[in-house]
Amino acid sequence: MNATQEATSTISRLPIDSPSLLNPLIDRIALAAPDTDQEGAFPEDAFRWMAEAGLLAITLPGHDLDFRSGQTARLLHLLKRIGSANLVVGRVYEGHINALYLIHLFATPDQRIRWYTDVIQHHRLFSVWNTQADNGVQIEGVNTPAGSTTYRLSGAKTFCSGAGWIQRPLITGELQTRDQQGEQRRGWQMTIVPTEQVSPIAQNNQFWQPLGMRASASLKLDFTGIEVSDADLLGQPNDYYRQPYFSGGAIRFAAVQLGGAEAMYTATRQFLTMLKRTDDLFQQTRLAEMAFLLESGNQWLEAAGNNTDRWLAEGADWTKIVAYANMTRTAIEEICLRVMPLAERCVGARGLLRPHPFERIHRDLTHYLRQPAPDATLVDIGKFVLTNPQPADELWR
Ligand SMILES: Cc1cc2nc3c(=O)[nH]c(=O)nc-3n(C[C@H](O)[C@H](O)[C@H](O)COP(=O)(O)OP(=O)(O)OC[C@H]3O[C@@H](n4cnc5c(N)ncnc54)[C@H](O)[C@@H]3O)c2cc1C
């Protein structure tokens, strides 16, 4: 068996559509969530269970949600379910899936074999670390007399979720290099750092003193002094920003967020049942509102997944795919922001005390709802609908 066959032959054992198989894993992750709710912790056990269940490899060739087979709605459902168990696990898992998607889109065949093998055989975790503040990452190419190029990294990334627990972080930086013929290459370059093969990456733990999502360990990391090779660079400069993939990916974090709102709803029901308060009309109407908000979120995800697959297959205008993704993330943010106060009112002050899960989920969801450029996202939706003259009924067909 060659490396490609080996990397793609392990068909995932978990049919994720089967609640009888997925739900016990979700329950197990949810039960463990309070144990890692602190800075400096990371939900390692959850990722081991997910690896054993085949979830790290679920989108790879031949697996249940193979990216090539257009299964986005099912992927979003899975992300939502993981988010409902623990938003931290959902956040880190989404980063892993995002990195694998970028590999699917932009890697060479040799790179795919290498990185897919990392996932399947070694259960290595991937992530995407793009965010930076001042002193962002620079990638300088240095040609060697032997004809190869070494790439020297300098500068730092912020919000590196999973920090030291991620073995294959995909990071971005400003590339400046000349090839052996003297041709200049510049732009926003992706590189996947093989962490065990490079010098230690300096961590700034002080950066991560968050409201919520403590165990996501989204530290500031300094890559100065790290060296990578040509084989570690993914795609061409600026591929990272290729649309609709860049903005369209927002539907994945929206799915995880909706999972947080779903967890609020489930916990609220259980709490009211425990207190025998389910006959109260006010509680019933609040639960009703939460239920229809969640279901509208589910419908957004289903439509976003199916539309994305269909429009990509049809080669539709990418601005339409991005506009729909923007609407999905904005609508789901609104849904989550409405579900949280409804849950608070249902359970009252008593419910917001530990060991009840509300205050943790509330902190985690409040923090995780803060995603890049929410204002610009709304403006972009407005621009799209104003520059597309179709009647409202036909806009998204
Ligand atoms: C738990 C968690 C984990 C994360 N993990 C990762 C990760 O693994 N990898 C990664 O790359 N990133 C990660 N991030 C970062 C994330 O993707 C976003 O970049 C980040 O949350 C956005 O930060 P912000 O809200 O401070 O952004 P800001 O851009 O500062 O936005 C804050 C507000 O200011 C507005 N605003 C933005 N620009 C301007 C402007 N020029 N003038 C006026 N107003 C403006 C925005 O619309 C918004 O209302 C993570 C974030 C969180 C919370």
Side-chain angles (χ1 to χ4, degrees):
M1 190 184 282
N2 67 30
T4 318
Q5 288 163 332
E6 213 167 290
T8 58
S9 69
T10 320
I11 302 300
S12 306
R13 284 151 287 155
L14 189 77
I16 64 142
D17 294 325
S18 153
S20 62
L21 287 184
L22 184 60
N23 288 354
L25 176 67
I26 299 298
D27 291 345
R28 198 176 186 193
I29 296 172
L31 205 64
D35 302 343
T36 53
D37 181 28
Q38 52 198 293
E39 287 150 38
F42 184 75
E44 282 179 274
D45 288 346
F47 282 100
R48 197 181 64 253
W49 302 329
M50 286 167 64
E52 285 163 5
L55 290 186
L56 298 190
I58 199 89
T59 56
L60 300 189
H63 292 246
D64 198 7
L65 300 183
D66 186 340
F67 281 131
R68 300 169 308 175
S69 60
Q71 301 284 336
T72 306
R74 289 177 62 210
L75 174 62
L76 296 178
H77 178 256
L78 175 65
L79 287 166
K80 186 196 74 167
R81 297 292 292 127
I82 301 291
S84 76
N86 182 347
L87 278 168
V88 165
V89 177
R91 167 67 196 88
V92 174
Y93 185 52
E94 192 280 325
H96 175 82
I97 296 291
N98 187 12
L100 295 182
Y101 191 52
L102 291 165
I103 290 168
H104 156 75
L105 291 172
F106 300 120
T108 64
D110 282 351
Q111 288 179 319
R112 281 197 199 111
I113 290 169
R114 183 155 55 94
W115 288 323
Y116 292 169
T117 305
D118 277 336
V119 178
I120 294 166
Q121 287 185 2
H122 307 291
H123 291 174
R124 287 190 171 125
L125 266 181
F126 286 62
S127 194
V128 177
W129 298 340
N130 180 55
T131 308
Q132 57 185 39
D134 45 356
N135 183 32
V137 167
Q138 308 282 326
I139 306 174
E140 186 199 356
V142 182
N143 294 327
T144 67
S148 64
T149 309
T150 296
Y151 296 87
R152 285 190 190 141
L153 276 49
S154 60
K157 288 282 174 193
T158 51
F159 290 98
C160 299
S161 288
W165 284 273
I166 304 293
Q167 297 92 0
R168 291 290 177 273
L170 185 165
I171 70 163
T172 50
E174 194 60 46
L175 174 71
Q176 281 217 39
T177 187
R178 282 184 190 280
D179 63 21
Q180 304 285 345
Q181 287 71 45
E183 199 72 25
Q184 201 173 54
R185 273 169 65 210
R186 302 180 73 129
W188 201 240
Q189 177 67 51
M190 294 179 274
T191 178
I192 297 186
V193 181
T195 53
E196 77 283 5
Q197 295 164 33
V198 300
S199 12
I201 301 164
Q203 292 192 356
N204 178 345
N205 297 348
Q206 291 306 307
F207 175 81
W208 192 239
Q209 301 180 56
L211 166 71
M213 303 293 279
R214 292 168 176 164
S216 70
S218 307
L219 308 186
K220 181 176 180 179
L221 300 182
D222 193 333
F223 291 87
T224 306
I226 302 296
E227 291 189 353
V228 295
S229 73
D230 256 323
D232 302 316
L233 299 194
L234 173 63
Q236 297 302 311
N238 301 324
D239 273 351
Y240 180 74
Y241 287 125
R242 287 245 302 261
Q243 297 285 21
Y245 312 112
F246 176 61
S247 304
I251 56 179
R252 288 191 306 268
F253 69 65
V256 178
Q257 291 170 339
L258 188 67
E262 190 175 273
M264 278 279 196
Y265 165 87
T266 306
T268 305
R269 274 188 56 155
Q270 285 166 352
F271 188 81
L272 293 179
T273 306
M274 184 183 77
L275 293 186
K276 299 192 173 27
R277 288 184 168 180
T278 53
D279 290 335
D280 180 79
L281 281 183
F282 288 101
Q283 301 287 18
Q284 286 169 355
T285 55
R286 278 192 286 264
L287 258 292
E289 207 176 329
M290 289 169 83
F292 72 66
L293 284 166
L294 281 181
E295 186 53 14
S296 57
N298 286 328
Q299 288 173 9
W300 271 109
L301 291 183
E302 181 78 12
N306 292 334
N307 285 343
T308 300
D309 289 344
R310 181 163 60 87
W311 291 337
L312 282 175
E314 289 169 357
D317 176 8
W318 68 260
T319 60
K320 181 168 154 180
I321 301 176
V322 168
Y324 206 86
N326 284 342
M327 290 202 303
T328 305
R329 75 168 263 198
T330 307
I332 287 183
E333 183 194 347
E334 283 295 324
I335 287 167
C336 293
L337 288 172
R338 285 180 61 187
V339 165
M340 281 193 286
L342 285 165
E344 286 162 37
R345 290 188 186 120
C346 282
V347 305
R350 201 167 17 146
L352 296 172
L353 302 173
R354 282 190 295 273
H356 296 303
F358 298 97
E359 65 88 34
R360 173 176 49 81
I361 300 169
H362 200 291
R363 270 189 285 112
D364 286 353
L365 185 54
T366 302
H367 206 161
Y368 188 46
L369 281 176
R370 294 305 111 224
Q371 290 297 322
D375 301 330
T377 299
L378 198 59
V379 170
D380 283 351
I381 301 167
K383 283 183 182 156
F384 178 85
V385 296
L386 284 167
T387 51
N388 282 275
Q390 291 105 309
D393 178 55
E394 290 169 24
L395 252 182
W396 311 110
R397 292 195 186 276

